[in-house]
Amino acid sequence: VSSDNGGSAWNFNSPGNNYPLRGNKNEIFEGGVRVQSMIWGTYPPLLSSRMIGHTYSAGFVSIFDWHATFAELGGWTTAGGAEDDHINNGVNYLGDILENRTARPELLFVSGSGSAFLLNGTYKLLEAVPYGPESMNAPNL
Protein backbone atom coordinates (compact mmCIF):
# COMPACT_ATOMS: atom_id res chain seq x y z
CA VAL A 1 0.00 0.00 0.00
CA SER A 2 1.42 3.41 -0.90
CA SER A 3 0.39 6.89 -2.06
CA ASP A 4 1.08 9.06 -5.08
CA ASN A 5 2.62 12.09 -3.33
CA GLY A 6 2.19 14.55 -0.47
CA GLY A 7 -0.95 16.34 0.66
CA SER A 8 -2.37 19.54 -0.83
CA ALA A 9 -1.38 22.00 1.89
CA TRP A 10 -1.70 25.27 -0.08
CA ASN A 11 -5.28 24.86 -1.31
CA PHE A 12 -7.88 26.01 1.24
CA ASN A 13 -10.56 23.66 -0.20
CA SER A 14 -8.43 20.53 0.15
CA PRO A 15 -6.30 21.03 3.23
CA GLY A 16 -3.47 18.56 3.58
CA ASN A 17 -0.87 18.25 6.28
CA ASN A 18 2.66 17.15 5.46
CA TYR A 19 4.09 18.12 8.85
CA PRO A 20 6.92 17.83 9.79
CA LEU A 21 8.02 17.76 6.15
CA ARG A 22 8.36 20.93 4.06
CA GLY A 23 6.48 21.14 0.80
CA ASN A 24 3.19 20.46 -0.88
CA LYS A 25 1.63 18.10 -3.41
CA ASN A 26 3.53 18.28 -6.74
CA GLU A 27 6.54 20.05 -5.21
CA ILE A 28 9.90 18.32 -4.93
CA PHE A 29 10.42 19.04 -1.25
CA GLU A 30 9.98 16.04 1.03
CA GLY A 31 6.35 16.98 1.82
CA GLY A 32 5.49 16.74 -1.87
CA VAL A 33 7.11 13.43 -2.74
CA ARG A 34 7.76 11.44 0.42
CA VAL A 35 4.95 9.20 1.62
CA GLN A 36 4.44 6.20 3.82
CA SER A 37 3.89 2.74 2.43
CA MET A 38 3.34 -0.73 3.77
CA ILE A 39 3.96 -4.31 2.70
CA TRP A 40 1.55 -6.98 3.87
CA GLY A 41 1.09 -10.58 2.81
CA THR A 42 1.85 -14.24 3.38
CA TYR A 43 5.19 -14.43 1.54
CA PRO A 44 7.29 -16.74 3.81
CA PRO A 45 10.39 -14.50 4.07
CA LEU A 46 8.11 -11.57 4.89
CA LEU A 47 6.34 -13.54 7.63
CA SER A 48 9.66 -14.48 9.25
CA SER A 49 11.28 -11.04 8.83
CA ARG A 50 12.56 -9.17 11.86
CA MET A 51 11.06 -6.03 10.29
CA ILE A 52 7.48 -6.98 11.20
CA GLY A 53 6.10 -4.05 13.16
CA HIS A 54 9.12 -1.87 12.37
CA THR A 55 9.80 0.94 9.91
CA TYR A 56 12.22 0.58 6.99
CA SER A 57 14.61 3.50 7.38
CA ALA A 58 17.76 2.47 5.55
CA GLY A 59 17.34 4.18 2.19
CA PHE A 60 15.25 5.63 -0.61
CA VAL A 61 12.60 3.70 -2.54
CA SER A 62 10.96 5.03 -5.71
CA ILE A 63 7.86 3.82 -7.55
CA PHE A 64 10.20 2.08 -10.02
CA ASP A 65 11.73 0.18 -7.13
CA TRP A 66 8.30 -0.96 -5.93
CA HIS A 67 7.68 -2.36 -9.42
CA ALA A 68 10.91 -4.39 -9.32
CA THR A 69 10.22 -5.53 -5.74
CA PHE A 70 6.66 -6.68 -6.46
CA ALA A 71 7.85 -8.40 -9.65
CA GLU A 72 10.26 -10.40 -7.48
CA LEU A 73 7.49 -11.21 -5.03
CA GLY A 74 5.44 -12.53 -7.94
CA GLY A 75 8.29 -14.66 -9.27
CA TRP A 76 8.84 -12.59 -12.43
CA THR A 77 12.37 -12.57 -13.84
CA THR A 78 13.94 -11.22 -17.02
CA ALA A 79 16.99 -12.18 -19.00
CA GLY A 80 18.54 -8.86 -17.98
CA GLY A 81 20.49 -6.46 -20.15
CA ALA A 82 19.57 -3.54 -22.37
CA GLU A 83 16.51 -5.25 -23.88
CA ASP A 84 14.85 -5.18 -20.42
CA ASP A 85 15.64 -1.54 -19.59
CA HIS A 86 12.31 -0.35 -20.99
CA ILE A 87 10.48 -2.78 -18.69
CA ASN A 88 11.99 -1.83 -15.38
CA ASN A 89 14.74 0.54 -14.27
CA GLY A 90 14.04 -0.01 -10.58
CA VAL A 91 15.96 -1.82 -7.89
CA ASN A 92 14.52 -4.93 -6.26
CA TYR A 93 14.35 -3.96 -2.59
CA LEU A 94 12.81 -7.13 -1.18
CA GLY A 95 15.89 -8.42 0.64
CA ASP A 96 16.84 -4.91 1.74
CA ILE A 97 13.41 -4.16 3.20
CA LEU A 98 13.38 -7.47 5.05
CA GLU A 99 16.81 -6.69 6.57
CA ASN A 100 16.51 -2.86 6.87
CA ARG A 101 19.53 -2.19 4.67
CA THR A 102 19.84 -0.01 1.58
CA ALA A 103 20.26 -1.03 -2.05
CA ARG A 104 20.13 2.57 -3.27
CA PRO A 105 22.22 5.19 -1.45
CA GLU A 106 21.14 7.91 -3.89
CA LEU A 107 17.99 8.85 -5.81
CA LEU A 108 17.51 11.26 -8.73
CA PHE A 109 14.03 12.68 -9.31
CA VAL A 110 12.94 14.98 -12.15
CA SER A 111 9.41 16.40 -12.13
CA GLY A 112 7.27 17.16 -15.15
CA SER A 113 7.78 20.88 -14.50
CA GLY A 114 11.56 20.58 -14.87
CA SER A 115 12.42 20.73 -11.18
CA ALA A 116 14.83 18.10 -9.97
CA PHE A 117 16.53 16.80 -6.88
CA LEU A 118 19.34 14.41 -6.10
CA LEU A 119 19.36 12.65 -2.73
CA ASN A 120 22.64 11.20 -1.54
CA GLY A 121 22.78 10.05 2.06
CA THR A 122 21.80 13.04 4.19
CA TYR A 123 22.42 15.55 1.37
CA LYS A 124 19.84 16.88 -1.09
CA LEU A 125 20.58 18.99 -4.17
CA LEU A 126 17.61 20.97 -5.56
CA GLU A 127 17.38 22.54 -9.02
CA ALA A 128 14.77 24.97 -10.45
CA VAL A 129 12.45 24.69 -7.45
CA PRO A 130 9.24 26.74 -7.27
CA TYR A 131 7.79 26.94 -3.76
CA GLY A 132 4.59 28.25 -2.20
CA PRO A 133 0.97 28.77 -3.19
CA GLU A 134 1.89 30.76 -6.31
CA SER A 135 3.70 27.68 -7.63
CA MET A 136 0.42 25.74 -7.76
CA ASN A 137 -1.09 27.71 -10.66
CA ALA A 138 -4.46 27.35 -8.95
CA PRO A 139 -7.15 30.07 -8.79
CA ASN A 140 -7.50 31.88 -5.47
CA LEU A 141 -10.84 30.95 -3.92
Side-chain angles (χ1 to χ4, degrees):
V1 178
S2 188
S3 177
D4 63 344
N5 49 26
S8 229
W10 300 125
N11 189 332
F12 179 75
N13 292 325
S14 61
N17 185 347
N18 299 319
Y19 181 83
L21 304 175
R22 175 184 179 189
N24 185 55
K25 186 179 215 70
N26 298 324
E27 292 178 338
I28 64 171
F29 293 104
E30 298 291 310
V33 296
R34 184 174 161 187
V35 296
Q36 297 177 347
S37 57
M38 175 182 74
I39 297 178
W40 178 81
T42 58
Y43 182 67
L46 182 61
L47 292 174
S48 63
S49 171
R50 62 188 177 128
M51 288 300 292
I52 292 177
H54 294 79
T55 301
Y56 173 79
S57 59
F60 311 113
V61 181
S62 76
I63 192 69
F64 303 109
D65 300 328
W66 282 122
H67 179 264
T69 301
F70 291 141
E72 171 72 17
L73 278 167
W76 180 72
T77 59
T78 66
E83 66 275 8
D84 290 326
D85 284 349
H86 69 283
I87 297 171
N88 186 10
N89 290 322
V91 175
N92 172 10
Y93 260 81
L94 184 58
D96 299 289
I97 291 170
L98 296 177
E99 296 296 323
N100 199 32
R101 64 178 186 251
T102 185
R104 180 191 295 276
E106 73 284 327
L107 178 66
L108 175 65
F109 175 84
V110 180
S111 76
S113 67
S115 298
F117 69 77
L118 172 65
L119 294 170
N120 191 336
T122 59
Y123 296 99
K124 184 174 187 178
L125 175 67
L126 302 167
E127 178 66 31
V129 182
Y131 179 69
E134 61 279 354
S135 69
M136 296 298 293
N137 296 324
N140 293 327
L141 302 174

